[in-house]
Amino acid sequence: MSSNDTLETAAPEHHWSRRLILWAAVLILANVLADVVIGSPMMVLPQLMEHFDTDQAAWLNASAMLAGAIWSPLLAKSSDIFGKRRILIGTLLLACTGALVCLVAPSIWIFLVGRFLQGAAFAAVFLTVALVRQICAPRVSMAVVGLVTSGSSVVGIIEPFLMKPIIDVFGYRSVFVAAALLAAAAALCVRSFIPESPIRSAGRVDVGGALLLGGGLGAVLAYISLGRDFGWLSGGMVALLAVGAAAVAGWAFLALRVDEPIIDIRALSRPILLTLLALVLAAGAFRSMLQLTSVIAQVPPDQGLGYGLGNGEAIALLLAAPNLGIVIGGVCAGWIAGRIGPGFPLLGGILIGTVATFAMLAGVSMFPMAIACGAMLGMAAGAIGASGYNLAISIEAPERQGTIAGLVSVVLALGSVVFNFAGGEVLKATQVPGTFADGAPVSSATGVHLYVAMAGVLFVLAAVPAAMLLRNR
């Protein structure tokens, strides 16, 4: 029997072992790629704009994430039919190809094609989750899910320090060399060490439905992400929104009429819908708060604005605390879920986020409080992400777990984009003349406090469906 055959027929893991630790490490490596693809190019954004002679920073910033929304429905459904491991390897190779295209792109349009291919890495997270749930026994798998969904945040803490000297020496291309090497290494490790999921569903992939849903979601998210830069009512943005809405409506119409839709709307049970509602609200809350932290981290406290935490090296600590919290929250939530179910850590994460958010009303001007709140918000984010995947997959039938994991991933992204936009609009609407040397406008303390209150209300609202799930479990 070949090594590949051994992998294909490997028995599910029922307890922690060296083999399971190796699996977890390999899948964390695959998930690190998603963070690198989305985040690392932002470290070289000025160089990219200069190289391609463009001022369209918004497209360079958002292109991979929007591509991820387009890829997700197709890859999620394909994983249920063809196998999670096989599709994960294909996803990593697509991301590797995209990085190489970006590396040699002679124009911005070729570069955006590369970013579209790289965006497939967005699917790595939900593919690793669905794979873990099928190659491990349920009790162990929930703990591993917490580890693989949050472990990549450790890299988020050290990545800027590792990449900056490399970028200084080799320029912006080093980001894409690193991404290509990481994707290739992850694909090889998954191919060599991870067994295939034992459960497949029959049928076919509704490619037309996948393109309608993915393209529609991508267009709507593009409007939300880029409208502020290009004008909400500009002709191009309005057309983009209209096309996106029409595509999503067309997908919904077809999904109710075809035998095997990319997502079966008719099969979405009440517990699944409650889970998705809790996740979209909670993701919007914690992502918007993490965005606010990055904003106030740049504002010196001596500017007299009523808020501000920027103080040299303190900024790095403010941005590192949530990443550390994500690891703690995700790992603990997975461990708890394996013993009492994922509903309790989901509600617990939402409650921790609620407390941390309202405490930030004071933390926006108190550095120690901001560090503590940032760590707690990270714990909430880690617990909500891990528990959301675990809960949704536990509810769904095994042959549809890849599809539902993909839907959870899209919902988390949707909540993040929509409420990040809403928070940004609150700050923009409450701007006052700047007190910095360049006179740039900044938000008032009232705007910052309104922003925090909005996120707190979102957490409170998210607790309602999470509590309903526990009551009816």
Side-chain angles (χ1 to χ4, degrees), residues 27 48 259 285:
L27 296 177
L48 288 172
D259 292 332

Side-chain angles (χ1 to χ4, degrees), residues 409-428:
S409 188
V410 171
V411 163
L412 290 172
L414 183 64
S416 300
V417 172
V418 170
F419 293 110
N420 272 355
F421 149 71
E425 288 302 297
V426 169
L427 295 180
K428 182 179 178 181

Side-chain angles (χ1 to χ4, degrees), residues 284-299 307-310 315 318-319 322 356-365 370 373-374 377 416 419-428 430 442-456:
F286 70 67
R287 287 297 177 192
S288 61
M289 283 303 298
L290 294 178
Q291 174 181 259
L292 180 67
T293 300
S294 67
V295 171
I296 62 176
Q298 312 296 326
V299 179
Y307 68 93
L309 300 167
I315 295 176
L318 280 166
L319 299 180
T357 297
F358 284 114
M360 272 298 287
L361 290 170
V364 295
S365 57
C373 290
L377 283 166
S416 300
F419 293 110
N420 272 355
F421 149 71
E425 288 302 297
V426 169
L427 295 180
K428 182 179 178 181
T430 56
V442 293
S443 180
S444 66
T446 300
V448 170
H449 291 147
L450 283 174
Y451 188 118
V452 173
M454 179 196 75

Side-chain angles (χ1 to χ4, degrees), residues 329 332-334 336-338 340-350 352 380 383-384 387 470:
C332 290
I336 294 170
I340 60 175
F344 283 102
L346 174 61
L347 181 59
I350 291 172
I352 291 172
I384 291 165
S387 302
L470 276 181

Side-chain angles (χ1 to χ4, degrees), residues 219 223 227 230-246:
Y223 175 80
F230 293 96
W232 298 110
L233 298 179
S234 66
M237 286 292 102
V238 171
L240 187 64
L241 178 62
V243 169

